[in-house]
Amino acid sequence: MAHVSDITHHTSRFTYHVLRFAFHILCLFALIRPHPVTAASIPDRRFGVVESYAAPQAANALGAGWTRVTFEWNQIQPNNAGEWNVYPVADSVLDAERAAGREIVGLIVATPGWAVDHARGTGVPAGLNLPNDHPENTWAAFIRKLMAHHAGRIRHWIIWNEPDIWDTGFQSWGGTVEDFVQLMRVTYTVAHEVDPNMVIHLPAVTHWWDVNYGRDLFLRRYLQHLTADSMAGENNYYFDALTLHIYFNPDTVYDLSRFYLGLLGEFGIYKPLWIAETNAAPSNDPAWPVANPQFNITQEDQAAYIIQGFAMALAAGAQRVAVYKLADLASDTANPEPFGLVRQDGSRRPAFTAYQVATRYLAGFKRATLERRDDAAVVVVERDGGWTTVAWARGPADVGVQLTAHAGSAQLIDWRGNRRSLTARDGVYTVTLPGSPCHHAGNPCLIGGSPYMIVEGAVTAGAPPLSQPTQGQAATVTPPPTAAQDAETGDATPVATPTVKDTVTPTAIPTMTPTIAPTRTPRPTATPTRRPTATATATATPTPTPTATPRPTTPPTPTATPAPAPTTPFRATPLAIGGTLVGAIGVLWFVVRKSRRA
């Protein structure tokens, strides 16, 4: 017995010293700073911002869940098929974006001169009608290499940009709609040879280009030729999502989204909708070298638009929405519209804070209802854990509204994040909405008054703290370090179910005059882009009768589910290692104690 006692005694002392050592190791690990950015700081992956890699730390603070990266073919292979330039950023930068929790969506555009079939028109790749494995099918060879290179890194691809611009000075696609059907046919089949889980998006259209010049809509003409292909239906119509760019007017965010979803429905096609670009650039900014007084939009108007536009997008049934764009760049100075949420000097516009507020309190959206649109607009969003009602006055006068209460109390929050408590009386909250300044040139009330968000129930945890607009110089942003590639989370999120009350009469879609702007990156061979702008005249969008066989116009209502929680790759963090070590030693200590008692 004495022998056993000695063993137990020495074992206990050994355990004591091991535990003491483990405690010091754990303290040391605790002093080591863990990885500063995790996907937990993203309120909802379905809200994004274009070109987040331009200012990644600002994107982290913003809480953007996805970003778009433009791959210009004429920059990657400018002279021949044997070239391969790293463009627009290094793979390590894209990996750092994903490690920060942002999903990357690729946009492919701009055929290099050597690969253009000039007989067919601007942008049409040579050999497009050849088999996908034919070496002279330049498009098939390029996208196969690009998509294979980014396999596991990029799953969503938008094919081309605004192909409905037919003016030669700004045209990115000079071919026919039949040619574009073939482009999508080749893209879809090649992409799924690379990875069966690829998600292919139709390009966003400007809408206003065709409308203003009296042409039938590009997408309608495209769908007529697409559905004439007997094999299209068996191949998912060669696309998985509809993409739109909508600017400046929150009413058109709703109206055009519903219009284009309905247009798909006319042809019996039902796909999710992404709004890949939206914003209302301020007309004047002390930090911007070129003034654009066309709309007289203030920075506060831009902030109001972010919340109004997001609410209208959800009410229309958009699955995802993104702001164009995160940051103004030196190469943007020829563009009279400063769209960035962050200025060139790194300071943040008020819209940056509005974006944080919008995503914080709309995160986890399941369905949205446009309750009214008269002197006030009211959108009710049901989300995980509660409801968020977004309301704003649409004219110059303050508007008193009574909003349905889903709980006994709520928080009233403005675009700056200021809040106060509300108490329901007789099942409603009574709120006075501030009127719009209505100082917008051409359309006096283009953007409504400062919006309020009435928030009931719990909100998504982990959102980054709200930022206040800054005016001063900011530190230079350095490129992010290379980060380990994280696992692909996928996107199983169906379209949020839009609900429109019978009493709502959508307003006519106003005619817009496109504002032509030079390419953001001035290169001789780059494809120019432009931003649409609005005028005062309000006329309904012409809807010519399609030549295709009539089909149902009302899309079926999908079952909405919450967005998948953003995930990050497993990392052996110091705390995890220390915790595992202490746990193991704890088990050892428990066994020794049991031995002593025995």
Side-chain angles (χ1 to χ4, degrees):
M1 288 296 294
H3 180 65
V4 173
S5 177
D6 289 341
I7 293 175
T8 303
H9 172 73
H10 290 299
T11 302
S12 298
R13 289 187 60 80
F14 171 77
T15 303
Y16 166 79
H17 287 298
V18 169
L19 284 172
R20 184 179 178 184
F21 173 78
F23 174 78
H24 289 295
I25 291 295
L26 181 59
C27 291
L28 178 62
F29 275 123
L31 294 175
I32 301 176
R33 185 178 179 181
H35 193 279
V37 179
T38 67
S41 65
I42 297 173
D44 194 316
R45 192 139 192 199
R46 295 171 291 182
F47 296 103
V49 67
V50 173
E51 297 175 3
S52 61
Y53 59 83
Q57 299 307 315
N60 296 341
L62 187 67
W66 67 279
T67 190
R68 193 190 70 191
V69 178
T70 301
F71 295 89
E72 294 176 76
W73 184 8
N74 59 8
Q75 302 302 320
I76 298 172
Q77 295 181 324
N79 300 302
N80 56 68
E83 292 181 302
W84 195 263
N85 296 326
V86 175
Y87 180 88
V89 291
D91 292 349
S92 60
V93 174
L94 299 180
D95 290 339
E97 286 294 298
R98 298 181 68 243
R102 286 184 286 280
E103 183 172 22
I104 300 170
V105 176
L107 167 65
I108 309 176
V109 73
T111 308
W114 64 266
V116 173
D117 185 343
H118 295 284
R120 290 183 176 273
T122 302
V124 182
L128 193 59
N129 290 313
L130 296 173
N132 291 349
D133 58 356
H134 195 287
E136 295 182 15
N137 188 331
T138 57
W139 175 252
F142 171 68
I143 62 171
R144 180 180 287 109
K145 186 172 182 179
L146 180 67
M147 292 180 176
H149 178 80
H150 290 292
R153 181 183 291 122
I154 301 176
R155 193 167 66 93
H156 288 264
W157 293 96
I158 302 171
I159 308 305
W160 226 256
N161 187 63
E162 301 178 350
D164 54 331
I165 299 177
W166 51 265
D167 180 270
T168 55
F170 296 90
Q171 188 178 55
S172 70
W173 184 261
T176 65
V177 290
E178 295 96 325
D179 292 331
F180 206 88
V181 169
Q182 178 63 10
L183 184 84
M184 294 300 299
R185 183 184 290 118
V186 172
T187 302
Y188 198 81
T189 53
V190 169
H192 285 82
E193 290 170 6
V194 174
D195 181 353
N197 295 315
M198 290 287 192
V199 180
I200 303 302
H201 294 242
L202 279 181
V205 293
T206 70
H207 178 80
W208 304 113
W209 197 272
D210 284 332
V211 169
N212 289 345
Y213 291 97
R215 292 162 57 95
D216 196 3
L217 295 175
F218 176 89
L219 185 59
R220 185 186 298 280
R221 290 181 280 123
Y222 175 85
L223 292 172
Q224 289 168 354
H225 288 281
L226 173 66
T227 52
D229 176 0
S230 60
M231 299 298 293
E234 298 178 16
N235 290 278
N236 209 28
Y237 295 101
Y238 310 120
F239 76 99
D240 302 299
L242 174 66
T243 313
L244 293 178
H245 296 169
I246 313 175
Y247 283 85
F248 293 107
N249 189 337
D251 283 335
T252 59
V253 172
Y254 180 86
D255 292 331
L256 288 180
S257 296
R258 296 305 299 160
F259 174 82
Y260 275 98
L261 285 171
L263 182 57
L264 287 184
E266 291 180 21
F267 292 87
I269 301 174
Y270 306 106
K271 305 282 186 177
L273 166 66
W274 287 30
I275 299 178
E277 293 184 14
T278 193
N279 204 339
S283 301
N284 293 286
D285 187 300
W288 194 249
V290 182
N292 176 30
Q294 183 172 4
F295 286 148
N296 194 31
I297 292 175
T298 67
Q299 294 184 64
E300 288 71 23
D301 289 332
Q302 183 189 26
Y305 175 86
I306 295 297
I307 293 178
Q308 295 171 15
F310 278 13
M312 284 299 207
L314 302 191
Q319 184 183 72
R320 293 199 188 188
V321 59
V323 166
Y324 178 89
K325 60 182 182 171
L326 178 61
D328 296 331
L329 304 176
S331 57
D332 296 335
T333 54
N335 189 332
E337 297 168 306
F339 284 97
L341 302 181
V342 178
R343 302 179 183 90
Q344 286 188 51
D345 65 5
S347 60
R348 298 169 182 176
R349 291 192 171 98
F352 191 102
T353 300
Y355 182 107
Q356 292 177 309
V357 172
T359 57
R360 178 185 296 266
Y361 298 112
L362 296 175
F365 67 86
K366 296 189 289 187
R367 58 186 56 83
T369 305
L370 178 58
E371 292 281 353
R372 61 182 281 187
R373 185 164 54 157
D374 37 47
D375 57 348
V378 176
V379 175
V380 177
V381 179
E382 183 181 352
R383 51 179 176 73
D384 296 335
W387 293 263
T388 297
T389 300
V390 187
W392 64 93
R394 298 178 69 233
D398 293 355
V399 180
V401 295
Q402 290 190 323
L403 306 172
T404 301
H406 305 88
S409 62
Q411 294 289 315
L412 184 146
I413 300 165
D414 64 19
W415 67 259
R416 296 175 178 84
N418 298 321
R419 66 180 69 191
R420 64 182 177 86
S421 297
L422 288 178
T423 300
R425 296 185 182 280
D426 299 324
V428 298
Y429 303 110
T430 301
V431 177
T432 300
L433 306 174
S436 167
C438 291
H439 50 204
H440 312 115
N443 187 341
C445 287
L446 185 68
I447 299 171
S450 181
Y452 285 149
M453 307 182 82
I454 293 82
V455 179
E456 300 169 290
V459 298
T460 300
L466 297 181
S467 302
Q468 292 303 315
T470 56
Q471 301 295 335
Q473 295 286 328
T476 302
V477 179
T478 57
T482 302
Q485 179 175 315
D486 62 322
E488 183 62 56
T489 62
D491 181 15
T493 310
V495 182
T497 307
T499 307
V500 183
K501 292 294 185 69
D502 293 338
T503 56
V504 174
T505 302
T507 58
I509 301 173
T511 301
M512 287 190 174
T513 302
T515 293
I516 297 174
T519 308
R520 294 189 297 277
T521 305
R523 303 181 181 90
T525 57
T527 301
T529 59
R530 22 153 247 109
R531 303 269 70 82
T533 59
T535 65
T537 307
T539 59
T541 303
T543 309
T545 303
T547 57
T549 305
R551 293 173 173 84
T553 59
T554 304
T557 301
T559 302
T561 60
T567 60
T568 51
F570 171 78
R571 295 186 180 89
T573 61
L575 288 179
I577 296 171
T580 303
L581 178 61
V582 170
I585 295 174
V587 171
L588 175 63
W589 177 80
F590 177 80
V591 171
V592 171
R593 293 280 294 177
K594 292 283 287 184
S595 300
R596 290 188 63 185
R597 289 171 181 169

